[in-house]
Amino acid sequence: MSESSSFPPRLLRTRLYEQVAGQISSWIDDNGLRAGDKLPPERELAQRLGVSRATLSQALVALEVVGVVEVRHGDGTVVTARHQKSSRIIEAIRSHADRLPEVIETRDALETKIASLAAARRTDDDLARIDDALAFMAADIEAGGRGVEGDERFHGAVTAASHSLLLARLMDEIGDLIKETRLESLGQPGRPQDSLAGHRAIAEAIRAGDPAAAAEAMHAHVAMVSDVAIIREAQ
Amino acid sequence: MSESSSFPPRLLRTRLYEQVAGQISSWIDDNGLRAGDKLPPERELAQRLGVSRATLSQALVALEVVGVVEVRHGDGTVVTARHQKSSRIIEAIRSHADRLPEVIETRDALETKIASLAAARRTDDDLARIDDALAFMAADIEAGGRGVEGDERFHGAVTAASHSLLLARLMDEIGDLIKETRLESLGQPGRPQDSLAGHRAIAEAIRAGDPAAAAEAMHAHVAMVSDVAIIREAQ
DNA sequence: CTGGCTCAGTGGCCTAGCCAATAGGACAAT
DNA sequence: ATTGTCCTATTGGCTAGGCCACTGAGCCAG
């Protein structure tokens, strides 16, 4: 019983510190604060936001971990240089649907390399996992599914086969973004089969231990996904 | 007056919540807790660690932001599936010096793509910034420097010219790691000049608007850096 | 000009306590 | 048997108020 993915919005419950962190963050933007600028003292800030100092403190910890501010004992809280970057970028991209091409580009850059490394380094176990993913996707499509999960597993298995923690980490980083493109792509009629064929070509190149062929196959595969996204764009 | 880099260890001052977060994190590892497993109640945990509930709460916020745990009101605190991933990876890589090749690989994947995009999209302003960086590096080397900052500026300018927020974000992500390889590479005698020559080749391809040539030039450049790193490895 | 001192401002952390959400059991209704 | 309702112990959310520790700036003696 394949579950429809649109269920109750799972009404999010925010903790107070999250709201506070968000407000501070946007306050920083709105007032154009730059790196080095100071935030108001905790006591004042807490009062202005209507929360206790303890809660405000939690919010500051969160912002500190994310790298937006730096809390200096005895001195004050200052805005960091890294602000603007990191996490906000993901949001920015998510909001601009016309950023989709960027996701494709990035995916192409990473996965092409990953495929060639996988071809050079894959162990038999890696290969087995790749085949498993392929079989899973085939069965799903056979049963009328879109093969979304199989697709995800396949790319995960190939990434693992590349034996590069760093590349895996970056793929994980943009994982959510990729998932969106995946859903769009596999939603097109006939796409799942095409995608499966692409996967098979990639798998064969990896099995043969041919880096160049693997890279080329992966590039072609990503390009196929790209078509869809760009077509949607043009609408 | 170039400063010797070995100064007082700048004794780090940790906040209590950081220590607590660290302890909890390693406690999770040591006891082999898996996704879904529960942590002890806050009251008990705080007492065991000898801190107040407020401080423990900050630590949990930090761990939550990083994605190690999920705090559920009224239920408890559970370990997340994402544990092991993300932030820990960077540390793991930093500690294993033999991971350097991974950095090179990743850099190659990203920058090759960035170079080709830059060739296709660069504006005149982008080009001007690239030339500025080139000139800066040349002047630095002329004056006996190693051109470290110029190198950094150059790659930053090329990244900007690619006009891809996502790729820029990922480059930023591994920026620290790259910086280390940069220092190693440019420390070799004769390297700065070679590096500068490589940059010029890249810049010309971008100026000419030739994506394939730019990609190739960047690939060759990264490969050159790679040589050094691998040689060090073999020692 | 340098070094030591003081002091006001600011964050770090704690204690104590009430409020709110959740899970799970008891029990009624079906 | 199954389902729905209510109760309650457990557990996190948040606040209030207070003391301690650190920082930076100004002052003063050398």
Side-chain angles (χ1 to χ4, degrees):
Chain A
M1 57 170 147
S2 76
E3 189 86 56
S4 165
S5 63
S6 59
F7 232 74
R10 175 72 181 172
L11 49 88
L12 65 136
R13 195 175 339 242
T14 61
R15 299 232 239 125
L16 233 202
Y17 88 80
E18 292 174 350
Q19 294 183 41
V20 173
Q23 286 199 29
I24 294 176
S25 183
S26 37
W27 185 77
I28 290 175
D29 292 337
D30 298 345
N31 295 42
L33 263 63
R34 310 228 154 225
D37 288 347
K38 268 188 188 163
L39 260 49
E42 290 194 356
R43 290 169 176 80
E44 182 188 333
L45 204 46
Q47 192 174 18
R48 274 211 255 170
L49 292 168
V51 299
S52 73
R53 234 185 112 198
T55 298
L56 172 65
S57 189
Q58 291 184 320
L60 291 179
V61 167
L63 290 175
E64 195 173 25
V65 171
V66 177
V68 175
V69 302
E70 180 185 349
V71 182
R72 298 205 279 238
H73 190 178
D75 189 12
T77 305
V78 302
V79 178
T80 326
R82 297 188 49 201
H83 179 58
Q84 301 283 31
K85 294 188 178 181
S86 297
S87 57
R88 298 191 73 81
I89 297 291
I90 293 287
E91 292 172 33
I93 286 175
R94 205 183 294 279
S95 59
H96 288 288
D98 53 9
R99 292 283 183 208
L100 257 180
E102 283 201 7
V103 177
I104 303 291
E105 286 164 13
T106 306
R107 189 179 171 187
D108 186 38
L110 294 175
E111 293 214 282
T112 299
K113 184 75 177 182
I114 284 173
S116 74
L117 290 177
R121 301 176 179 171
R122 97 288 188 293
T123 64
D124 289 346
D125 278 353
D126 291 329
L127 215 47
R129 269 189 291 277
I130 290 174
D131 286 336
D132 279 352
L134 235 31
F136 182 91
M137 185 174 181
D140 184 21
I141 293 176
E142 190 68 28
R146 288 184 298 171
V148 174
E149 189 182 341
D151 187 291
E152 200 165 339
R153 284 197 198 180
F154 176 80
H155 287 281
V158 172
T159 300
S162 74
H163 294 280
S164 168
L165 285 176
L166 234 201
L167 283 167
R169 181 204 179 336
L170 295 186
M171 280 300 292
D172 184 56
E173 192 85 13
I174 64 171
D176 290 346
L177 263 15
I178 287 182
K179 184 172 287 184
E180 291 176 16
T181 69
R182 198 193 310 281
L183 289 173
E184 286 196 26
S185 173
L186 293 175
Q188 304 279 323
R191 268 287 174 261
Q193 285 82 355
D194 294 346
S195 181
L196 183 56
H199 286 184
R200 290 209 163 106
I202 296 166
E204 287 322 306
I206 291 177
R207 188 187 318 280
D210 184 341
E216 183 48 43
M218 180 63 88
H219 178 66
H221 178 60
V222 173
M224 184 190 78
V225 176
S226 164
D227 268 354
V228 180
I230 288 177
I231 286 172
R232 282 184 58 90
E233 188 92 7
Q235 288 179 338
Chain B
M1 142 168 57
S2 78
E3 189 84 57
S4 165
S5 63
S6 59
F7 231 75
R10 174 73 180 172
L11 49 89
L12 63 134
R13 194 173 343 239
T14 62
R15 258 39 104 80
L16 232 203
Y17 87 79
E18 292 174 353
Q19 294 183 42
V20 173
Q23 287 199 28
I24 294 176
S25 184
S26 37
W27 185 78
I28 291 176
D29 292 338
D30 298 345
N31 296 42
L33 263 63
R34 308 214 155 241
D37 288 345
K38 266 187 190 164
L39 260 49
E42 288 193 359
R43 290 168 177 81
E44 181 187 334
L45 203 46
Q47 193 174 16
R48 275 211 254 169
L49 292 169
V51 299
S52 74
R53 240 185 105 198
T55 298
L56 173 64
S57 190
Q58 290 185 320
L60 291 179
V61 167
L63 290 176
E64 196 173 24
V65 170
V66 177
V68 175
V69 302
E70 180 184 350
V71 183
R72 297 204 279 237
H73 190 178
D75 188 14
T77 306
V78 301
V79 178
T80 316
R82 295 187 49 201
H83 180 55
Q84 302 283 32
K85 293 190 178 181
S86 298
S87 58
R88 300 190 75 81
I89 297 292
I90 292 287
E91 291 173 33
I93 287 176
R94 205 182 292 280
S95 59
H96 289 287
D98 52 11
R99 292 283 183 207
L100 258 180
E102 282 200 5
V103 178
I104 304 290
E105 284 162 15
T106 306
R107 190 179 169 187
D108 185 39
L110 294 175
E111 292 213 283
T112 299
K113 185 73 177 185
I114 285 173
S116 76
L117 290 176
R121 301 175 180 171
R122 99 288 188 291
T123 65
D124 289 345
D125 279 352
D126 292 328
L127 214 47
R129 269 189 291 275
I130 290 173
D131 286 336
D132 280 351
L134 236 31
F136 183 89
M137 185 173 181
D140 184 19
I141 292 175
E142 191 68 29
R146 288 184 298 173
V148 175
E149 188 181 341
D151 187 292
E152 198 166 341
R153 285 197 198 181
F154 176 79
H155 287 282
V158 172
T159 300
S162 75
H163 294 280
S164 169
L165 285 177
L166 233 201
L167 282 168
R169 182 207 178 331
L170 294 186
M171 281 299 292
D172 184 57
E173 191 84 13
I174 64 171
D176 290 344
L177 264 14
I178 287 182
K179 184 172 289 183
E180 292 175 17
T181 69
R182 197 192 312 280
L183 290 174
E184 287 196 28
S185 174
L186 293 175
Q188 305 278 326
R191 268 285 174 263
Q193 285 81 356
D194 293 347
S195 181
L196 184 57
H199 286 184
R200 290 209 163 106
I202 296 166
E204 286 322 305
I206 292 177
R207 189 189 316 280
D210 184 341
E216 183 48 44
M218 180 63 87
H219 178 66
H221 177 60
V222 174
M224 184 190 76
V225 176
S226 164
D227 269 353
V228 180
I230 287 176
I231 285 173
R232 283 185 57 90
E233 189 92 9
Q235 287 179 337

